[in-house]
Amino acid sequence: MALTGALLLTSAPIASADQVRDAQWPLTVYSAEKVWKTSQGAGVTVAVVDSGVDAAHPDLTGQVLPGKDFTGAGTPHRDTEGHGTAMASLIAGHGHGANNSAGVMGLAPKAKILPVRVDLAGSKFVTASLASGIRYAVDQGASVINLSLGDDNSYPGSKAAKAVAYAEAHDVVVVAATGNDAGTVSYPAALPGVVAVTAVDQGLKFWSSSNTGNVTVAAPGVEVAQADPTTKSGYAVADGTSGSSAYVSAIVALLRSKYPDLTAGQIINRLVKSASFLNNTGKKAPDKELGYGIARPGSALTMDIPKGPKEGPLAQASSSTSTQSGSASGNESPSQAAKKDKSSSSGILLIAGIAAAVIVLGIVFAVIRSRRNRGSGGPGSGPGGGMPAHGTGYPPQPPAGYQQYPNTPPNQGYATPPGQSPQYPNPYAQQPPHQGQ
């Protein structure tokens, strides 16, 4: 289970900015130079709800908007953890030096970053600041929100869950990391409508520490070079679904820039339809580890994909925002349990009345079944069959109207076959313990 307020990443320093670009294997795998000919994320604001973003980092100068600090520390441009800056760099870093050849290049280098600093220690205050931060991001015009964090108090019905539903109702794509403890998808990634992201390594294989269950897509998250203002060099190499979430947020920014008329749901539709299991043989969507596959920016931008319904392929939060869950974890708040007990007591009082109506209902059922058998050809065969509740293990196949695309070869968004991307020394002589997650 995710620890409250945990940042979903473990990291180690990297020697210098000159080594960083060669270490950015996701850019090679994603054929970034080719992708940028189609979209670079211009005109899109991505909110990084995190530990703050160091706006003075050389790879982020000019990319970071004023933002807001919900911790009481005073400024969203201060990042004592380094985590928010790292995520911002993967999304919208522009490098530095001659021809910007040094440092981190983000996958959407012309997107803007809205830093939203939230409290990542404690309990109730974490969720309160997270909820306020999400709502602020929506009201400031962010069309993508990246949540590379875990908060067990963000269960359905919580303030944070209602804030996520608020974002979805305002046409914002919310992307979140699933967690790094090999458990079930943590909140807020487990909430309905959220794009839940797991990690893959350089061989495009599932990272075994990723949390699983209700997964939407996967993205690079192992040995990822990124900015880190807390290290001497200003950089680190890290493992975690945090980085995977940031890369998917960047892909969403590329899509929102190229397809400004698509709804958030239709953007997610493109993301899901263009994903592929690539060389992960034997997988079938939806998979509890990779969801609908590895997200691919080149394919997402260029494939011929029908718009689909405005709501998109993911289950949505109910109007009350307090019922459906996006994970298989079965997490439940004490207040929800109390409500369940109360409803059970009320149900006992109804048994007598229900029994008296059994005969009448039996007759009605027989008539209805007869009519159904003559109509749509059996249960579930109608064109609007819809999608089961989001808490049934992991997302089912998209509803009617979402054509499943076959897994396509790696050359759509992946120029280099696995194993041929630039290699660099593993910064870990031994894997460090999970820091919170």
Side-chain angles (χ1 to χ4, degrees), residues 173-271:
V173 179
V174 181
V175 183
T178 62
N180 303 338
D181 58 13
T184 54
V185 177
S186 60
Y187 292 115
L191 292 170
V194 175
V195 177
V197 188
T198 54
V200 293
D201 60 20
Q202 289 192 52
L204 305 181
K205 297 295 186 181
F206 174 73
W207 184 52
S208 60
S209 293
S210 298
N211 290 7
T212 61
N214 268 39
V215 177
T216 310
V217 290
V222 180
E223 296 183 2
V224 172
Q226 54 203 15
D228 186 344
T230 68
T231 66
K232 185 177 180 179
S233 68
Y235 299 94
V237 172
D239 297 345
T241 57
S242 281
S244 308
S245 176
Y247 273 122
V248 171
S249 288
I251 294 172
V252 172
L254 296 176
L255 290 170
R256 300 223 82 162
S257 179
K258 179 172 172 58
Y259 300 103
D261 296 331
L262 294 186
T263 66
Q266 289 166 338
I267 291 292
I268 295 172
N269 180 47
R270 291 196 72 90
L271 182 72

Side-chain angles (χ1 to χ4, degrees), residues 320-359:
S320 65
T321 71
S322 62
T323 54
Q324 294 176 320
S325 168
S327 77
S329 63
N331 290 344
E332 185 177 72
S333 71
S335 61
Q336 288 174 308
K339 290 179 181 179
K340 184 180 289 185
D341 290 341
K342 184 176 180 181
S343 64
S344 298
S345 299
S346 300
I348 294 173
L349 299 177
L350 296 175
I351 291 176
I354 293 173
V358 166
I359 296 175

Side-chain angles (χ1 to χ4, degrees), residues 274-346:
S274 57
S276 171
F277 291 123
L278 297 166
N279 49 335
N280 289 275
T281 58
K283 295 287 187 181
K284 182 179 179 181
D287 179 71
K288 69 177 184 178
E289 295 180 344
L290 301 178
Y292 292 93
I294 300 169
R296 302 187 299 166
S299 300
L301 287 165
T302 60
M303 282 180 68
D304 182 11
I305 299 173
K307 288 183 178 181
K310 291 182 179 180
E311 296 77 12
L314 301 184
Q316 300 296 305
S318 64
S319 57
S320 65
T321 71
S322 62
T323 54
Q324 294 176 320
S325 168
S327 77
S329 63
N331 290 344
E332 185 177 72
S333 71
S335 61
Q336 288 174 308
K339 290 179 181 179
K340 184 180 289 185
D341 290 341
K342 184 176 180 181
S343 64
S344 298
S345 299
S346 300

Side-chain angles (χ1 to χ4, degrees), residues 39-49 53 55 59-67 77 84-85 87-94 106-116 136-137 140-146 172-173 246 249-254 256-257:
S39 176
Q40 296 187 42
V44 176
T45 297
V46 181
V48 175
V49 181
V53 176
D59 297 341
L60 287 168
T61 54
Q63 297 297 93
V64 185
L65 300 173
H77 293 165
T85 304
M87 300 305 101
S89 71
L90 297 181
I91 295 168
H94 53 50
L107 192 55
K110 289 191 176 178
K112 293 294 185 182
I113 297 294
L114 178 70
V116 183
Y136 166 81
Q140 290 298 304
S143 60
V144 188
I145 295 178
N146 185 75
V172 176
V173 179
S249 288
I251 294 172
V252 172
L254 296 176
R256 300 223 82 162
S257 179

